[in-house]
Amino acid sequence: GLVRADHTCKPCIRPIGHDAPFQEVRPISHNPFRDGYYESEELRRFGFGAVSDNVRIARSCNIPRVDNIEIGDNVRIDAFTSIVATSGHVRLGSYIHICIGCMIGARGGVEMEDFSGLSHGGVVLSGTDDFSGAWLVNPMVPPAFTRVTAAPVRFERFAIAGAHSTV
């Protein structure tokens, strides 16, 4: 059922509508939902093209080809972000924040210059299938039956893409 908090000196809960005494709630010693971040020193051992100082990447990120990625100073990439650089290059300048839940598809290459950013749920795609109906789409179709267009995407210095933007 429902519970309510008693704002006394101890954290307590009690079922609503019952005369049971308050029971103390003991907090756990750590937050099991917080995965934390990899830091620069550890990231350098993963095989990135380059990792500078004060770089933090959430442990829940998906980054399949780190060797195609270069990261400048003071960069943070938050949880559940995917950076897919399997056939393209990603270069992140310095003082960059990529918020939670973003996706960067780097088929044609992606560059984010200093002080640029990508807000919550933002998507950057530097390649796309031809959706005109004249071609088949998806990576499982033989290339002879698809038409993929790819071109570099560059965020200039101080450029920001807002929440849920698609570039």
Side-chain angles (χ1 to χ4, degrees), residues 28-107:
I28 57 176
S29 61
H30 70 284
N31 180 348
F33 299 105
R34 185 170 183 201
D35 290 328
Y37 289 83
Y38 293 112
E39 306 285 339
S40 294
E41 185 175 322
E42 190 172 13
L43 290 166
R44 288 184 187 113
R45 295 192 301 261
F46 292 173
F48 279 89
V51 174
S52 295
D53 294 327
N54 195 29
V55 175
R56 301 178 74 215
I57 298 178
R59 294 179 184 274
S60 63
C61 289
N62 176 33
I63 307 174
R65 284 286 304 273
V66 297
D67 57 316
N68 288 338
I69 300 171
E70 298 175 6
I71 305 173
D73 294 318
N74 304 300
V75 173
R76 190 176 90 200
I77 302 172
D78 288 339
F80 311 114
T81 291
S82 292
I83 301 176
V84 182
T86 54
S87 60
H89 190 81
V90 174
R91 185 191 162 281
L92 304 177
S94 295
Y95 300 97
I96 291 175
H97 181 215
I98 298 174
C99 288
I100 190 168
C102 291
M103 176 8 183
I104 297 175
R107 184 177 194 129

